[in-house]
């Protein structure tokens, strides 16, 4: 004699199971996807242990790392996504005339550093020194950034990758305009995709606002992790701002220390360049 299960029994069983799953989820049992209360794009500033391949894979699958609006920007230039190395990307950009900054430049400032860097610094746009040399962050502000990297973090400038949102110098160092950002930003996004660093440091108000698409003051953004293309980004003050406001070097050093902790780097006992 078979014991036929009625649809009612089955429904009761399913409901019981659902209640049980909800209960253990609320209790935070590992292995179940917790319902996220984190805003899309934001990453909590919780202490992050050095990543293993497994934790990296888990982090990449986190539902709160939503693709940002910049994903669509890649399709602005057909063929851009086919550039599979930084050299190919530079070749793709060529002698660019895609925005009105082209006639203003002496050199297009693409980016420098380790093409497989774990850490990437992204600034605003080239200044006069950078335009003259074709390299980002080489003036006084650039020297301060180098000090932060080499004296503060204890690594070589060539160990990281450094670039800007905008590749050509705006006249009289004015802020880049929205149409110029829209034209140039796909190149930055492809650079990020190709370097695929573990962390990005966004330098200064303009760069951070341009890439995060928000207008929150940098003083409120700094010190907290954000997300860009699935990668953690730490906003902080621009080195040029620090030249005018040296008292805030300690804040930048605090932000850099957060990045170092996340990357599993030893923190020097003395604050390097910020002292
Ligand atoms: S700023 Fe960017 S988009 Fe404009 S001309 Fe230079 S490389 Fe091209």
């Amino acid at each position: 004699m078979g014991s036929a299960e009625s649809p009612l029994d089955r429904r009761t069983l399913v409901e019981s199971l659902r209640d049980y799953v909800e209960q253990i989820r609320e209790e935070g049992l590992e292995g179940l996807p917790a319902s996220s209360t984190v805003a899309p794009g934001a990453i909590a500033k919780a202490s992050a242990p050095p990543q293993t391949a497994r934790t990296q894979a888990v982090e990449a699958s986190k539902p709160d790392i939503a693709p940002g609006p910049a994903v669509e920007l890649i399709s602005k230039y057909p063929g851009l996504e086919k550039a599979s190395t930084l050299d190919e990307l530079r070749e793709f950009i060529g002698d660019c005339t895609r925005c009105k900054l082209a006639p203003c430049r002496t050199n297009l400032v693409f980016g420098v550093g380790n093409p497989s860097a774990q850490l990437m610094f992204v600034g605003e746009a080239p200044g006069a020194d950078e335009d003259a040399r074709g390299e980002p962050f080489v003036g006084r502000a650039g020297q301060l950034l180098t000090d932060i990297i080499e004296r503060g973090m204890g690594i070589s400038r060539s160990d990281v990758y450094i670039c800007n949102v905008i590749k050509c110098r705006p006249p009289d160092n004015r802020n880049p305009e929205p149409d110029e950002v829209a034209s140039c930003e796909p190149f930055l996004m492809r650079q990020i995709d190709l370097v695929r660093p573990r962390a990005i440091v966004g330098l200064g108000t303009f760069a951070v606002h341009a890439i995060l698409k928000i207008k929150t003051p940098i003083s409120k953004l700094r010190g907290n992790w954000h997300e860009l293309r699935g990668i953690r980004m730490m906003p902080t003050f621009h080195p040029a701002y620090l030249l005018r406001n040296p008292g805030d070097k300690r804040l930048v050093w605090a932000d850099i220390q957060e990045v170092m902790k996340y990357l599993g780097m030893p923190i020097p006992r003395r604050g390097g360049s910020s002292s």
Side-chain angles (χ1 to χ4, degrees):
M1 216 163 64
S3 59
E5 194 182 2
S6 75
L8 191 59
D9 290 340
R10 223 173 293 142
R11 197 168 61 222
T12 305
L13 180 63
V14 168
E15 283 170 357
S16 299
L17 272 171
R18 189 182 296 136
D19 289 347
Y20 177 65
V21 167
E22 282 303 318
Q23 183 192 338
I24 55 179
R25 179 181 284 163
E26 282 170 16
E27 288 169 1
L29 206 68
E30 285 184 4
L32 284 173
S35 47
S36 173
T37 55
V38 181
I43 297 176
K45 189 189 163 185
S47 59
Q51 287 191 324
T52 62
R54 182 177 176 278
T55 56
Q56 277 181 315
V58 168
E59 181 160 295
S61 67
K62 275 184 181 174
D64 60 324
I65 301 183
V71 170
E72 288 305 313
L73 293 174
I74 287 287
S75 61
K76 183 180 177 82
Y77 300 129
L80 177 57
E81 73 285 353
K82 291 199 182 117
S84 60
T85 64
L86 290 173
D87 284 346
E88 284 180 20
L89 174 60
R90 181 63 191 90
E91 203 174 317
F92 181 94
I93 296 172
D95 193 17
C96 186
T97 54
R98 294 173 180 89
C99 86
K100 61 184 183 296
L101 290 178
C104 310
R105 70 169 180 248
T106 307
N107 288 296
L108 189 150
V109 182
F110 178 66
V112 288
N114 181 349
S116 308
Q118 297 227 339
L119 179 59
M120 189 166 182
F121 288 87
V122 179
E124 172 184 330
D129 294 318
E130 289 78 15
D131 178 59
R133 286 182 46 184
E135 184 176 335
F137 286 94
V138 291
R140 282 182 65 220
Q143 184 55 53
L144 181 50
L145 177 62
T146 302
D147 284 349
I148 290 169
I149 296 166
E150 301 202 334
R151 292 175 53 202
M153 303 183 75
I155 56 177
S156 166
R157 177 177 156 115
S158 60
D159 289 334
V160 304
Y161 192 82
I162 305 172
C163 63
N164 288 304
V165 176
I166 295 281
K167 311 300 185 203
C168 301
R169 183 192 179 200
D172 303 320
N173 290 346
R174 66 157 168 77
N175 282 338
E177 293 173 355
D179 60 311
E180 295 157 1
V181 174
S183 296
C184 209
E185 195 175 37
F187 304 140
L188 170 66
M189 298 304 140
R190 194 64 189 146
Q191 270 175 311
I192 292 170
D193 287 351
L194 292 173
V195 176
R196 208 67 203 158
R198 283 186 53 209
I200 297 169
V201 175
L203 296 167
T205 301
F206 177 84
V208 172
H209 285 181
I211 54 190
L212 289 183
K213 313 294 179 207
I214 51 177
K215 291 289 179 193
T216 310
I218 187 76
S219 55
K220 289 201 165 65
L221 293 171
R222 60 146 293 275
N224 295 291
W225 286 110
H226 294 261
E227 183 270 337
L228 178 63
R229 300 181 78 72
I231 296 168
R232 284 184 180 223
M233 192 192 82
M234 176 63 76
T236 196
F237 293 119
H238 194 283
Y241 166 88
L242 293 183
L243 292 173
R244 301 188 300 273
N245 301 275
D248 281 345
K249 284 181 180 178
R250 65 188 172 78
L251 298 175
V252 171
W253 179 234
D255 299 341
I256 294 295
Q257 282 181 304
E258 283 298 318
V259 173
M260 293 173 74
K261 270 189 246 169
Y262 175 66
L263 294 177
M265 297 172 66
I267 311 285
R269 261 185 289 175
R270 291 175 10 167
S273 65
S274 63
S275 61

